[in-house]
Amino acid sequence: MIPERRLREDLIRFGRLCYERHMLVSMDGNLSALLPDGNILATKAGCHKGFLCDEDLVVIDRQGRRLRGAGAPTSEIHMHLACYEERPDVRAVVHAHPPISIAFTIAGVSMARCVLPEVVLTLGTIPTVDYATTGTHTLADAIRPHIRDHDAILMDRHGAVCLGKDLLSAFCNLETMEHTALITKTARDLGGIRELPPEEAVKLRSMGLKRYGGPPIAVARADEPAAGLPEACLGCSGCANPTPKGIAPRSAMRMARLTEGPLQTPGLERALADEVLRVLRG
Ligand SMILES: [Zn+2]
């Protein structure tokens, strides 16, 4: 168990890192970690994550009531509470607004595809949750089913929720998500995406869950025919053909609308290109 003093230092450090790595701006986002007594240490509402200090952190109970510290808990605390409720293995949650990943949701391009081997090994796929108003129970409830078997999820037009056994692993999942978005976006600009062959994706996911662990529900599925990967990631061969080595069963996972061709809006293309350049130069 990490003592409160260390957790406070870590929250301040990872908040600054999120800002410096362009994962959020201004008063965006919020971070939290579980204290040894089971309560939650979280960033309060309306503070800049790049310049956090001890006074910006509040201690709340598992119902979201403030126990210690000045200021109100963030309005998005329901999202953090849902993460800790659904995943007893999780001890830290980072919510940020990574720009390229969010652009994918606005453009309707799914990130629940198997493209990069390292990402399939560590995160599997990255689902996108349908739009819901920020800070509401509706949004918290919408992410619940995805939290159970994913460590990184995207919320339509909003941002990322990344979970981990500590703040470092939750931050790593956020970095991996945004890095994946940048590579995928660049590849699309260069001509298109070649996805991993479905058999290779399944092999990698199974291997990754056994080697590195992950959400307990996903680990329990490591030996299933599709290793828990959704059919969108496995291409259409599995669902179109009932006997392609038994992979790609139907999945109940909801994902963002897929856009197969190049993006249709020149203005949006330009905005995305500018965003990539800004991140690269930053
Ligand atoms: Zn937010």
Side-chain angles (χ1 to χ4, degrees):
M1 294 279 175
I2 302 174
E4 180 169 336
R5 185 176 44 78
R6 256 281 308 285
L7 283 176
R8 285 178 175 271
E9 291 168 4
D10 284 353
L11 270 178
I12 291 168
R13 184 186 316 153
F14 283 104
R16 190 173 63 233
L17 212 48
C18 282
Y19 175 62
E20 290 174 350
R21 298 293 295 169
H22 307 284
M23 302 293 184
L24 43 75
V25 295
S26 187
M27 309 298 168
D28 289 352
N30 25 76
L31 296 84
S32 72
L34 270 192
L35 290 164
D37 64 5
N39 289 319
I40 297 166
L41 182 67
T43 51
K44 71 176 185 184
C47 59
H48 195 299
K49 309 310 169 300
F51 306 97
L52 287 173
C53 60
D54 214 28
E55 290 72 47
D56 293 323
L57 307 180
V58 289
V59 176
I60 57 167
D61 66 16
R62 299 295 278 264
Q63 280 71 49
R65 292 176 295 230
R66 180 163 56 91
L67 301 175
R68 284 190 278 132
T74 166
S75 61
E76 293 184 307
I77 200 64
H78 308 298
M79 202 159 65
H80 293 250
L81 296 172
C83 292
Y84 295 119
E85 259 174 55
E86 297 294 337
R87 291 280 302 277
D89 59 309
V90 159
R91 299 197 67 84
V93 176
V94 175
H95 162 55
H97 296 180
I100 305 173
S101 302
I102 294 173
F104 270 71
T105 75
I106 294 168
V109 181
S110 176
M111 284 182 60
R113 310 298 287 259
C114 296
V115 179
L116 296 167
E118 287 298 325
V119 179
V120 180
L121 272 172
T122 54
L123 286 182
T125 57
I126 300 168
T128 300
V129 176
D130 290 343
Y131 177 80
T133 308
T134 179
T136 60
H137 285 283
T138 310
L139 180 57
D141 288 340
I143 67 171
R144 279 178 192 277
H146 302 280
I147 295 167
R148 290 174 198 139
D149 48 9
H150 291 88
D151 285 333
I153 66 172
L154 261 171
M155 297 176 288
D156 188 20
R157 297 171 187 272
H158 182 175
V161 182
C162 295
L163 298 73
K165 62 180 176 14
D166 51 28
L167 280 162
L168 175 62
S169 61
F171 178 76
C172 283
N173 291 335
L174 174 65
E175 265 196 315
T176 299
M177 175 194 288
E178 184 67 346
H179 196 231
T180 304
L182 176 59
I183 293 170
T184 308
K185 152 81 180 113
T186 309
R188 284 174 66 93
D189 290 348
L190 291 171
I193 302 295
R194 290 178 299 120
E195 294 185 16
L196 281 165
E199 297 85 353
E200 180 65 7
V202 170
K203 189 169 89 182
L204 286 167
R205 186 61 187 139
S206 179
M207 193 193 300
L209 286 167
K210 291 174 188 171
R211 186 180 296 170
Y212 305 116
I217 288 179
V219 172
R221 285 204 302 253
D223 283 322
E224 287 183 8
L229 289 171
E231 66 187 44
C233 182
L234 299 170
C236 59
S237 59
C239 42
N241 178 351
T243 57
K245 303 185 180 172
I247 58 170
R250 293 205 69 78
S251 161
M253 178 184 293
R254 288 181 303 160
M255 282 165 294
R257 174 173 57 84
L258 304 185
T259 304
E260 295 302 343
L263 297 175
Q264 297 300 314
T265 316
L268 185 59
E269 289 268 39
R270 264 200 307 281
L272 283 166
D274 289 347
E275 191 59 50
V276 171
L277 283 174
R278 192 180 68 76
V279 171
L280 286 172
R281 285 174 183 150

